[in-house]
Amino acid sequence: MNAKDNAIAVVTGAGSGIGRAVARELLRAGWSVALAGRRVETLEETAALAPGAASLTVRTDVSRPEDVNALFAATVERFGRVDLLFNNAGTFGPGGVPVEELPYEAWRHVVDTNLNGAFLCAQAAYRQMKEQDPQGGRIINNGSISAHTPRPLSVAYTATKHALTGLTKSLSLDGRPYRIAVGQIDIGNAATDMTSRMQTGALQANGEVAPEPVMDVADVARTVRHMAELPLEANVQFATVLATAMPYVGRG
């Protein structure tokens, strides 16, 4: 799917970080993009980064089915179809909290956002892509390095990101008859507000606190765009994009 085909994307969590970077990349490449997030003012800031581009801002709490349904209805009403969902909205939850002290409410909030929200958005996209003409589209789920290997004291975030991998595989399999391609990008240490603490010091598995390298979030955005603009006959099932020297491969 190329931008010249007047492609339509939905990007969740588009008001900051990776979501903002990906939305900006797609808008600048000629995509029409529905920007979804909890705060309209930050979505409007994202839209302003690509003046003149075709964007739509929709306040959305992805953990609420009615919000998700309204997001996709508004997108189709404005642009006519959905070619891409970048399933990006997520939260780390309270950091540094031991398992035995993690409040259930905090666990539930992370699960509702990272897993239930991803499912609801994928379901809505799936329904639209299956019925539209021409049929099909692409879903890219934002996993994480934590979909493979946890950080200390991150049980809720890690559990949901592991679950996203299963969601990606299942959606990919079930989408085959309807030309719905589903893949996942696992990102490590992209420079955003969420990862700012990495450069000053992050807790390591051995109990030490050490600074970690980060990478430009624009490199993530370009990777997502590459995945998005493949023809539907091709799919990047899983991509891992990370700061080259971050403590992940091997023993750190």
Side-chain angles (χ1 to χ4, degrees), residues 123-235:
Q123 183 182 56
Y126 195 102
R127 287 168 173 163
Q128 174 60 33
M129 292 170 178
K130 181 179 176 181
E131 298 302 324
Q132 63 194 10
D133 185 21
Q135 187 182 62
R138 188 181 306 275
I139 299 169
I140 300 173
N141 292 325
N142 184 351
S144 171
I145 294 298
S146 291
H148 303 269
T149 302
R151 288 187 176 277
L153 306 180
S154 66
V155 64
Y157 184 79
T158 298
T160 57
K161 292 303 184 178
H162 273 64
L164 269 181
T165 299
L167 180 70
T168 297
K169 290 179 179 180
S170 191
L171 289 170
S172 183
L173 179 61
D174 293 346
R176 288 178 181 177
Y178 311 109
R179 301 188 75 243
I180 300 173
V182 186
Q184 180 170 312
I185 184 166
D186 295 323
I187 302 161
N189 287 16
T192 67
D193 291 342
M194 188 175 178
T195 61
S196 59
R197 61 187 173 83
M198 300 296 179
Q199 298 177 73
T200 56
L203 181 64
Q204 305 298 306
N206 64 358
E208 295 180 359
V209 174
E212 295 185 12
V214 298
M215 63 177 170
D216 192 334
V217 70
D219 294 324
V220 175
R222 284 191 288 270
T223 304
V224 173
R225 180 185 164 198
H226 167 69
M227 296 169 69
E229 292 186 344
L230 289 171
L232 292 178
E233 291 73 24
N235 187 39

Side-chain angles (χ1 to χ4, degrees), residues 66-77:
E66 58 272 27
D67 279 20
V68 172
N69 291 337
L71 165 64
F72 281 84
T75 303
V76 174
E77 180 179 1

Side-chain angles (χ1 to χ4, degrees), residues 85 93 106 109 120 178 207 248:
L85 164 65
H109 175 66
L120 289 170
Y178 311 109
Y248 169 63

Side-chain angles (χ1 to χ4, degrees), residues 6 8-9 32-34 54-56 74-82:
N6 192 30
I8 314 302
S32 300
V33 182
S55 63
L56 170 69
T75 303
V76 174
E77 180 179 1
R78 172 72 177 274
F79 298 123
R81 60 183 286 116
V82 175

